[in-house]
């Protein structure tokens, strides 16, 4: 029996599980196993990308999982080098071939890559794919406010999510108001600071107070603040631990303690404006 888990309603009327499983840096040859373990642990949302080179393994896992397709929520992301329409359509076809599904739940523009200046064309192509019925919801990742304003202005279509780096050392509080105003849900990537936040004494104390692990305390913080969160692990016990989240909540004192960890130099990944040429 699947655990009752919270879902977040998106601005297009659909909904997504609030806690998902991220697969960046999960090697292709173990992806099917790892995603299979995540689904067995209760996760129903998987976050992959064309640039992760593991969509095939995600597709194999969801086919073998023994869970109805309708109960799973699959996100992928458009490659940086495929923003122009023809390339984007081709890249999307490849994604669907690898995932072996008829409709994708959520497709994101992975990075705006302003140097290419093709993210408006990419967004128009996602709108077209959504209208054709091949994608349920469309969103973006690593978009700054000006990128968001530009794509909304050009199409009238507001992304359902913006997936951005967000963890205790990089809280991006200045982004909240604009996203709330446009009903764009913030989805936290590297939610555990790629593991760096787990040994922090403040987090350890909060976790101990609730009889939980540091990873659980941080994931709970994202959930309590209303964000979608997609932690990653390839270790079965941690995959299970990171989903065992639905029997406690942080209190206002914990949240105040965590707020103090925000750090102007806490960013780990590249800045949206620089783009990320890995993907
Ligand atoms: P994360 O913050 O989820 O940290 C993952 C690491 O933390 C693991 O590799 C492991 O070392 C450690 N860890 C996880 N659970 C643990 C536990 N219970 N106990 C101890 N250590 C634990 O980092 P991430 O993988 O960078 O981010 C999560 C997901 O976010 C990615 O897999 C991907 O799906 C997404 N992401 C998106 C972008 C983007 O540009 N859109 C960028 C980075 C990540």
């Amino acid at each position: 029996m699947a655990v009752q888990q919270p879902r977040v309603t998106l601005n297009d009327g659909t909904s997504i599980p609030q806690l998902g499983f991220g697969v960046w840096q999960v090697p292709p040859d173990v992806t099917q196993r790892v995603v299979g373990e995540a689904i067995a642990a209760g996760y129903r949302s998987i976050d992959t990308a064309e640039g992760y080179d593991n969509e095939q393994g995600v597709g194999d896992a969801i086919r073998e999982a023994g869970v109805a397709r309708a109960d799973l929520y699959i996100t992928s992301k458009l490659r940086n080098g495929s923003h122009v329409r023809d390339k984007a359509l081709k890249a999307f076809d490849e994604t669907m071939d690898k995932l072996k599904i008829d409709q994708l739940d959520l497709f994101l523009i992975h990075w705006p890559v302003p140097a290419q200046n093709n993210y408006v064309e990419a967004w128009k192509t996602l709108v077209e794919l959504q209208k054709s019925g091949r994608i349920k919801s469309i969103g973006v990742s690593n978009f700054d406010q000006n990128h968001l304003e530009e794509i909304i202005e050009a199409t009238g279509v507001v992304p359902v999510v913006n997936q951005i780096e967000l963890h205790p050392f990089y809280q991006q509080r200045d982004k909240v108001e604009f996203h709330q105003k446009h009903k764009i849900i913030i989805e936290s990537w590297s939610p555990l600071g790629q593991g760096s936040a787990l040994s922090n004494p403040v987090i350890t104390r909060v976790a101990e107070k609730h009889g939980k692990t540091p990873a659980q305390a941080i994931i709970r913080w994202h959930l309590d603040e209303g964000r979608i969160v997609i932690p990653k692990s390839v270790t079965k016990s941690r995959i299970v631990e990171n989903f065992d989240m639905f029997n406690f909540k942080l209190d206002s004192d914990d949240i105040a303690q965590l707020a103090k960890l925000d750090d102007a130099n806490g960013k780990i990944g590249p800045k949206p404006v620089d783009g990320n040429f890995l993907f």
Side-chain angles (χ1 to χ4, degrees):
M1 218 348 239
V3 178
Q4 278 293 80
Q5 50 182 301
R7 296 181 73 96
V8 174
T9 300
L10 303 174
N11 66 28
D12 62 3
T14 64
S15 71
I16 178 174
Q18 195 180 4
L19 174 57
F21 184 71
V23 298
W24 178 40
Q25 292 179 317
V26 176
D29 59 327
V30 301
T31 302
Q32 182 179 356
R33 170 190 61 83
V34 167
V35 173
E37 285 172 359
I39 294 171
Y43 298 82
R44 292 293 175 266
S45 169
I46 310 296
D47 181 86
T48 184
E50 291 169 354
Y52 298 172
D53 286 332
N54 56 20
E55 288 172 307
Q56 190 104 39
V58 172
D60 291 342
I62 59 184
R63 225 183 32 255
E64 302 292 324
V67 172
R69 169 69 188 99
D71 292 335
L72 295 171
Y73 193 100
I74 311 301
T75 301
S76 192
K77 313 185 192 85
L78 180 67
R79 271 182 204 287
N80 292 343
S82 298
H83 281 193
V84 296
R85 182 176 177 277
D86 287 356
K87 283 190 177 177
L89 292 175
K90 185 165 177 287
F92 179 72
D93 282 343
E94 285 167 11
T95 280
M96 297 304 270
D97 287 348
K98 288 182 186 149
L99 290 171
K100 295 170 281 291
I101 53 178
D102 297 327
Q103 189 189 38
L104 187 63
D105 297 279
L106 177 60
F107 199 44
L108 310 179
I109 301 176
H110 205 151
W111 291 83
V113 203
Q116 295 181 154
N117 198 22
N118 287 323
Y119 52 88
V120 171
E121 183 167 340
W123 184 242
K124 286 181 176 165
T125 312
L126 263 58
V127 171
E128 182 185 333
L129 284 165
Q130 186 187 32
K131 282 196 180 131
S132 78
R134 297 186 74 198
I135 311 174
K136 217 184 267 177
S137 296
I138 53 177
V140 296
S141 177
N142 300 301
F143 271 45
D144 280 336
Q145 183 171 325
N146 62 313
H147 311 130
L148 290 165
E149 283 167 343
E150 224 179 305
I151 60 169
I152 295 168
E153 167 78 26
T155 61
V157 181
V158 181
V160 293
V161 303
N162 188 12
Q163 188 182 116
I164 55 175
E165 179 178 343
L166 201 153
H167 44 77
F169 302 145
Y170 191 64
Q171 302 190 10
Q172 304 232 51
R173 298 278 168 200
D174 56 335
K175 294 264 163 79
V176 171
E177 193 184 327
F178 180 85
H179 284 73
Q180 274 178 355
K181 183 173 148 208
H182 290 277
K183 299 193 169 55
I184 303 168
I185 304 289
I186 292 180
E187 179 169 22
S188 306
W189 66 250
S190 295
L192 306 172
Q194 295 178 11
S196 66
L198 298 171
S199 53
N200 179 276
V202 172
I203 291 168
T204 311
R205 251 194 329 273
V206 169
E208 277 170 3
K209 180 173 140 187
H210 293 278
K212 296 289 171 185
T213 67
Q216 289 171 326
I218 298 171
I219 294 166
R220 190 68 249 174
W221 171 71
H222 289 282
L223 296 173
D224 287 350
E225 298 219 344
R227 296 183 289 266
I228 301 164
V229 57
I230 46 170
K232 168 250 173 187
S233 175
V234 292
T235 309
K236 189 175 176 184
S237 58
R238 290 173 173 175
I239 292 171
V240 170
E241 173 187 325
N242 294 352
F243 191 75
D244 179 17
M245 291 307 311
F246 304 115
N247 49 11
F248 78 111
K249 271 190 184 295
L250 301 186
D251 60 34
S252 53
D253 183 51
D254 304 327
I255 290 170
Q257 294 293 321
L258 277 154
K260 287 188 207 151
L261 298 178
D262 197 12
D263 177 351
N265 300 312
K267 183 156 180 47
I268 300 171
K271 288 187 189 144
V273 73
D274 295 335
N276 182 337
F277 295 97
L278 272 178
F279 303 118

